[in-house]
Amino acid sequence: PQIDINPPEPWRSGMMWDETRGNQPWIYPDIPQGKWVDQSMAPKDLSFYYAADGCWNEMKITVHGMHVKAVLNGTVVTAFHGEGILNDALHQKLQVGEKGYIALQIHINDQLKIRYKDLRIKELPN
């Protein structure tokens, strides 16, 4: 699964997408498969900054067991419990959902530049 950062549609930042082959729906917010997220699904108080603003966005992603939480600039965007989704038969077969890689990416055809700073990864106690 991935937490989006999407400057062209900043309201989508912090939402959760499932990149699993054969699946690929939006996980959070919970919408019917085959549908796409839209701006009405974003938190109303969400703020997003661009480089021209002279500010940085702060994204905090916490994963504890099956619980995933994404907070963008102090606003909770995703608060998700993945039991039955991130560990369903497809995810187990492909050995994804409960474990995987931490990666920063940008889509190959996007004409974007994105910068990161102060990245921290911390293991949480059980």
Side-chain angles (χ1 to χ4, degrees):
Q2 71 185 36
I3 299 294
D4 260 26
I5 302 172
N6 192 353
E9 298 174 312
W11 51 265
R12 200 171 94 184
S13 297
M15 293 182 178
M16 190 172 171
W17 168 261
D18 192 348
E19 193 61 40
T20 305
R21 284 184 219 108
N23 207 16
Q24 297 180 313
W26 283 100
I27 296 177
Y28 196 92
D30 184 21
I31 60 173
Q33 182 139 358
K35 299 287 183 190
W36 198 254
V37 294
D38 62 49
Q39 193 165 0
S40 72
M41 299 170 189
K44 302 301 178 222
D45 57 344
L46 186 68
S47 59
F48 187 90
Y49 307 109
Y50 293 93
D53 299 329
C55 299
W56 287 87
N57 292 291
E58 182 176 313
M59 173 82 74
K60 182 175 183 180
I61 302 168
T62 307
V63 179
H64 195 261
M66 289 280 115
H67 296 276
V68 179
K69 184 176 182 181
V71 180
L72 176 59
N73 297 322
T75 299
V76 175
V77 180
T78 293
F80 175 73
H81 184 64
E83 189 71 39
I85 295 174
L86 297 179
N87 61 353
D88 67 5
L90 178 63
H91 287 86
Q92 287 180 21
K93 177 184 170 190
L94 297 174
Q95 299 180 355
V96 297
E98 294 183 79
K99 61 183 179 178
Y101 298 98
I102 296 173
L104 305 173
Q105 74 171 34
I106 192 163
H107 295 129
I108 194 166
N109 293 322
D110 285 349
Q111 298 296 312
L112 300 173
K113 292 181 181 178
I114 192 162
R115 297 180 296 168
Y116 302 93
K117 70 174 191 145
D118 301 331
L119 296 172
R120 287 180 228 127
I121 300 172
K122 176 180 164 184
E123 189 167 347
L124 299 174
N126 291 333

